[in-house]
Amino acid sequence: MLKGLLDSIVLIFTGDSALTNIILVSLRVTGISLLISTLIGIPLGIFLGLKRFIGKRLVIALLYTGMGFPPVVVGLFVYLMLSRAGPLGQLGWSFIPHLYTTGAMVVAQIIISFPLVAGFTMSAVLSLDSQLRLQLHALGATPRQALWTMLVEARVGVLISIIAGFGSIISEVGAVMMVGGNIENATRTLTTAIVLETRKGDFSMAMALGIILLTISFIVNVAMLRLQGKALDQ
Amino acid sequence: MSESVYQLNTLVKRYDSRTVVALDSLTVYRGEILALVGPSGAGKSTLLRLLGLLEAPTSGSLQFFGREVANGSAQADLELRRRLTMVFQRPLLLNRSVQANIAYGLRLRGDKSNGKVASAMEQLGLSHLARQNTRVLSGGEAQRVSLARAMVLDTEVLLLDEPTANLDPYNVNLIETAVRKMNAEQSKTIVLVTHNIFQAHRLAQRTALLLDGRLVEVSPSDVFFTAPADPRTAAFVRGDMVY
Ligand SMILES: Nc1ncnc2c1ncn2[C@@H]1O[C@H](COP(=O)(O)OP(=O)(O)OP(=O)(O)O)[C@@H](O)[C@H]1O
Ligand SMILES: [Mg+2]
């Protein structure tokens, strides 16, 4: 066990190109997915938190369901949609990613994470005083200025929504395995590689990957918390 | 006291099917302090939000500086909206420093200066708190920040919803002095909602009694408090009105 740990640390620091590639794929897929989830989720969360419209309850119920959706089911869904015989795969449009590409993985991860971003953003906005918007208008804010101020007021909650979105996808394995296929030097991520190495019995490698994954997750969370801390201090 | 700032006619505000405000007519004149008194739930804050162009009335006519705004068109007219400002009953401060809160409305208008902010803090005894976050303020401090934030905007019309509720006599005096000064020196038009009838008497040239959303009486404050026309006003002033 201890030897395994030592070996894994050696592996991390000698770092072969396959390992580097795995890390880069993980970071890229998670980063792009999180960016798009944030761009969809934050405006959606604000909208749901502020606007009244018919069918809002239904949308929120769907969102909550999405927040707790099993990632493998998302993987299955994306697999079926994108497979060559599937509804989207059939169309053959160039912007629709093929199965077993990082594009397909990004699609799955967006579906997994944007409900979390939107849901937490919505509750952050809802926790603001209901009269705040009127008070801002009374001070001469344009609707856009008032919206921006409210987003800044809800900043801690909005940051938490991004952290939650990140957490849901950096460690996710089922969906990326299904739609990405764990192809070496192409769609292999830290999580899918850990599964593979463990199956092969290469525990040093699996552990090295695990340590890297934890480290990345830790660094990102610390960075977010620092931001949150700044937000809290202001 | 001739030119009117507000002209209200058969103004009604309903929430769902509940009528909260129903006024036959009311005029607010330029340069006056009008006090609005009435029991809790009478619709004072709601009326103030209507005057603040923050909500559209359900029906009726509301003219602001001669312009009909009951249809809600004013909400979009930034220039018109910025001729007034309103201080809410509960101070809704931003999670920032005292200074940043007071400067907020100026910054919205692209005004980056600090002079007005500093002098408002000075006047309301807030200077030593400039860099404090508003979350740690006492109730009275928060209320003064809320007023300062409106004062610096220097608008022609000021709507104040219970600016001295729950304050000690020293702070009440501080705020009353500021209100009186704005009215006397800058001839600002001020509509003041207050539970404190003595305050209404002290500050306002005219006082209006609102009961169940209806206007019972509007009179010069002297008349209102000493020889009211309506027996309900007399009962309210005596303090033995049964709600
Ligand atoms: N947005 C709203 N939706 C539904 N009902 C409301 C709304 N705002 C106010 N009301 C109701 O309208 C009535 C009048 O409320 P308002 O706040 O205007 O009273 P007020 O005279 O200011 O009372 P107080 O002296 O206690 O502040 C209350 O019964 C209140 O419940
Ligand atoms: Mg009120």
Side-chain angles (χ1 to χ4, degrees):
Chain A
M1 179 74 195
L2 198 67
K3 183 177 175 302
L5 193 64
L6 284 176
D7 285 350
S8 63
I9 289 169
V10 171
L11 265 172
I12 291 171
F13 284 102
T14 49
D16 57 347
S17 70
L19 185 61
T20 318
N21 197 277
I22 288 171
I23 296 173
L24 288 179
V25 169
S26 272
L27 287 179
R28 200 173 72 228
V29 170
T30 304
I32 295 173
S33 310
L34 188 62
L35 182 71
I36 298 174
S37 287
T38 305
L39 292 179
I40 302 171
I42 290 182
L44 179 63
I46 294 172
F47 183 79
L48 291 174
L50 294 181
K51 289 273 184 247
R52 285 201 271 176
F53 57 91
I54 299 164
K56 180 169 166 174
R57 271 162 198 270
L58 181 67
V59 174
I60 292 176
L62 286 173
L63 192 67
Y64 283 157
T65 311
M67 287 170 81
F69 222 56
V72 267
V73 179
V74 174
L76 176 63
F77 171 77
V78 173
Y79 185 96
L80 293 175
M81 293 303 277
L82 296 185
S83 70
R84 209 152 289 174
L88 291 179
Q90 262 177 352
L91 295 173
W93 290 342
S94 60
F95 64 89
I96 295 174
H98 292 294
L99 273 182
Y100 309 126
T101 62
T102 49
M105 293 155 75
V106 167
V107 170
Q109 295 211 327
I110 291 170
I111 297 175
I112 293 166
S113 59
F114 93 83
L116 286 156
V117 178
F120 281 104
T121 300
M122 178 182 77
S123 67
V125 169
L126 281 175
S127 70
L128 297 174
D129 195 298
S130 60
Q131 294 241 24
L132 179 64
R133 187 158 39 151
L134 289 185
Q135 172 68 84
L136 299 178
H137 284 170
L139 290 166
T142 64
R144 190 184 295 231
Q145 286 174 326
L147 203 65
W148 175 248
T149 302
M150 292 175 66
L151 193 59
V152 173
E153 280 298 290
R155 58 195 176 262
V156 173
V158 172
L159 264 169
I160 288 173
S161 81
I162 300 173
I163 293 177
F166 173 77
S168 72
I169 51 179
I170 184 71
S171 56
E172 199 284 320
V173 55
V176 288
M177 185 77 98
M178 283 170 90
V179 304
N182 193 22
I183 300 164
E184 192 171 9
N185 288 326
T187 62
R188 184 163 298 169
T189 66
L190 285 164
T191 53
T192 57
I194 290 172
V195 174
L196 183 76
E197 298 303 333
T198 307
R199 278 209 198 113
K200 284 194 333 206
D202 188 346
F203 296 114
S204 309
M205 188 60 179
M207 225 152 27
L209 292 163
I211 290 170
I212 293 168
L213 181 60
L214 280 176
T215 309
I216 291 174
S217 185
F218 182 73
I219 291 172
V220 170
N221 278 305
V222 166
M224 296 269 202
L225 280 171
R226 275 187 67 107
L227 262 176
Q228 191 188 336
K230 271 204 196 114
L232 282 170
D233 288 343
Q234 265 171 23
Chain B
M1 288 219 315
S2 53
E3 211 181 329
S4 72
V5 172
Y6 288 104
Q7 185 86 52
L8 284 60
N9 270 302
T10 59
L11 193 72
V12 175
K13 179 67 186 179
R14 273 192 214 105
Y15 290 116
D16 300 320
S17 60
R18 209 166 131 233
T19 303
V20 174
V21 170
L23 300 184
D24 289 336
S25 84
L26 175 67
T27 305
V28 180
Y29 298 100
R30 195 186 277 260
E32 77 166 331
I33 298 183
L34 172 71
L36 271 179
V37 299
S40 185
K44 304 182 296 295
S45 296
T46 305
L47 175 56
L48 222 52
R49 285 198 300 277
L50 294 176
L51 297 179
L53 314 182
L54 299 170
E55 291 178 17
T58 311
S59 65
S61 155
L62 170 60
Q63 285 183 18
F64 181 54
F65 286 112
R67 194 162 134 206
E68 180 57 56
V69 291
N71 47 19
S73 68
Q75 267 97 326
D77 189 335
L78 192 61
E79 220 167 295
L80 199 63
R81 280 206 289 122
R82 286 184 173 176
R83 293 179 77 172
L84 68 87
T85 182
M86 174 167 166
V87 175
F88 279 49
Q89 192 163 5
R90 252 176 317 130
L92 296 158
L93 302 179
L94 302 174
N95 184 0
R96 310 175 183 184
S97 70
V98 165
Q99 197 166 3
N101 267 274
I102 298 175
Y104 178 75
L106 291 173
R107 302 294 180 261
L108 293 178
R109 290 158 171 78
D111 182 340
K112 299 225 183 329
S113 66
N114 286 315
K116 288 179 203 153
V117 176
S119 70
M121 285 195 293
E122 174 92 50
Q123 197 185 348
L124 292 177
L126 293 165
S127 302
H128 63 294
L129 296 169
R131 285 170 204 291
Q132 280 291 356
N133 186 289
T134 54
R135 283 176 309 162
V136 301
L137 297 183
S138 74
E141 288 162 350
Q143 238 162 341
R144 280 181 282 150
V145 172
S146 179
L147 180 67
R149 174 168 77 167
M151 264 169 61
V152 294
L153 299 180
D154 203 17
T155 53
E156 294 155 83
V157 180
L158 211 59
L159 308 171
L160 307 178
D161 200 347
E162 304 257 14
T164 63
N166 316 313
L167 290 188
D168 60 274
Y170 174 80
N171 278 308
V172 170
N173 188 39
L174 210 62
I175 288 183
E176 285 188 5
T177 307
V179 169
R180 209 178 273 119
K181 199 169 159 211
M182 283 188 287
N183 177 249
E185 293 176 11
Q186 302 163 314
S187 53
K188 300 214 179 300
T189 308
I190 297 171
V191 181
L192 169 77
V193 170
T194 178
H195 269 128
N196 182 341
I197 54 171
F198 301 105
Q199 177 170 72
H201 201 171
R202 280 195 297 269
L203 290 179
Q205 285 97 32
R206 292 194 307 150
T207 301
L209 174 64
L210 209 61
L211 268 188
D212 294 328
R214 290 174 188 283
L215 210 52
V216 171
E217 174 168 358
V218 197
S219 313
S221 296
D222 274 336
V223 176
F224 189 96
F225 289 101
T226 55
D230 195 293
R232 287 169 296 175
T233 309
F236 183 80
V237 170
R238 272 201 314 276
D240 51 69
M241 169 163 275
V242 188
Y243 320 129

